[in-house]
Amino acid sequence: MRAVILAAGRGSRLGPYTDDRPKCLVEVDGRSLLDLHLDTLAEVGVTEVGIVTGYRAADLTGRGPVTFHAPRWSETNMVVSLTAASAWLRTAPSLVLYGDVFATAATVTALAAAGGDLAITYDPHWLDLWSRRFVDPLDDAETFRLRADGTLAEIGLRAASTDEIQGQYMGLLRFTPAVWGRVEEVLSGLPPQQRDAMDMTTLLRTLIAAGEQIRTVPRIGPWGEVDHPDDVALYARQRQG
């Protein structure tokens, strides 16, 4: 199993934390998010790890065995940045991990073992964490609905209430080459402006509309997304406690 860590973005909402480093090098409790990922992947037994670079790419030289550079990282969204790693995604099943999250080895193991061509992890108990991160959890939360068989029915739309949110998408995915080929077909059929603006949840919605079955894997143990300065202190306390 391969793993691709998405680390191209600037992370401007983290303010001074990313003035001098990529977002994935922000530290939580004395360890960078990238090192937390690398430790987790090593524990899971993933031996091939690639990093998609963009902002301050030179700072990631030597941090991973393989790097894929997204030259238009500042003009495009995450999906186009991920296409920098298409050579891997076309040839072997691959985990994809956002560079600004962390999760347990048990969660990543469950994702790697999930069936189907495309799977994602989610937090069914998201409201507890989001209530600690935001005054109003709905300011940042989006819809997330499951079918009776556990596959994904809806994701990424504005939620009017917590009743529309059965979980929080975590930024961890698994692609097979077959489904990545279908992703490339979707992207090739879009106008450049729409393709450049596509984020991951929009891609997932597009695939669902085309009939794709997306498996979902509930998280096992703690996880976090580091997107605001307050998150750094919050997760340091969480990891210590």
Side-chain angles (χ1 to χ4, degrees):
M1 180 72 69
R2 291 171 168 168
V4 176
I5 299 171
L6 277 167
R10 167 69 170 82
S12 58
R13 284 186 288 187
L14 273 165
Y17 281 98
T18 56
D19 284 347
D20 63 350
R21 70 195 66 188
K23 194 176 185 181
C24 69
L25 295 185
V26 172
E27 294 185 352
V28 173
D29 194 22
R31 302 293 310 285
S32 74
L33 290 164
L34 177 59
D35 284 341
L36 293 175
H37 267 326
L38 294 176
D39 287 351
T40 297
L41 292 169
E43 185 176 347
V44 170
V46 175
T47 57
E48 293 184 276
V49 180
I51 304 172
V52 177
T53 66
Y55 172 67
R56 297 186 67 94
D59 293 344
L60 295 172
T61 301
R63 294 276 185 160
V66 179
T67 57
F68 304 97
H69 186 60
R72 299 180 59 236
W73 67 269
S74 64
E75 308 163 31
T76 63
N77 217 318
M78 186 175 291
V79 173
V80 171
S81 290
L82 181 57
T83 64
S86 285
W88 269 22
L89 295 161
R90 289 174 188 145
T91 55
S94 300
L95 301 171
V96 173
L97 306 92
Y98 289 13
D100 61 354
V101 304
F102 61 88
T104 63
T107 297
V108 177
T109 297
L111 176 62
D117 284 332
L118 177 55
I120 65 171
T121 62
Y122 74 102
D123 181 1
H125 306 294
W126 68 278
L127 189 55
D128 175 64
L129 178 56
W130 254 237
S131 295
R132 285 181 282 147
R133 293 185 68 207
F134 304 98
V135 174
D136 181 357
L138 289 177
D139 284 346
D140 186 77
E142 298 175 324
T143 60
F144 189 97
R145 297 178 186 269
L146 303 176
R147 299 189 180 95
D149 64 359
T151 58
L152 188 63
E154 181 184 298
I155 189 172
L157 299 176
R158 183 70 178 174
S161 75
T162 57
D163 293 339
E164 298 177 280
I165 308 171
Q166 292 178 260
Q168 171 63 43
Y169 166 64
M170 294 169 53
L172 305 177
L173 311 94
R174 183 184 59 76
F175 292 89
T176 64
V179 78
W180 184 252
R182 295 193 285 276
V183 169
E184 292 188 310
E185 289 178 8
V186 167
L187 296 178
S188 68
L190 296 176
Q193 186 174 5
Q194 186 177 349
R195 181 176 63 248
D196 288 351
M198 180 168 278
D199 58 28
M200 197 67 73
T201 56
T202 301
L203 173 63
L204 294 175
R205 280 202 312 278
T206 302
L207 293 171
I208 291 169
E212 199 69 50
Q213 298 290 302
I214 301 176
R215 303 287 183 94
T216 61
V217 177
R219 58 106 171 162
I220 304 168
W223 78 286
E225 174 194 43
V226 179
D227 204 35
H228 301 273
D230 289 346
D231 289 333
V232 177
L234 171 65
Y235 294 128
R237 292 195 301 271
Q238 175 179 299
R239 288 176 60 81
Q240 292 168 357

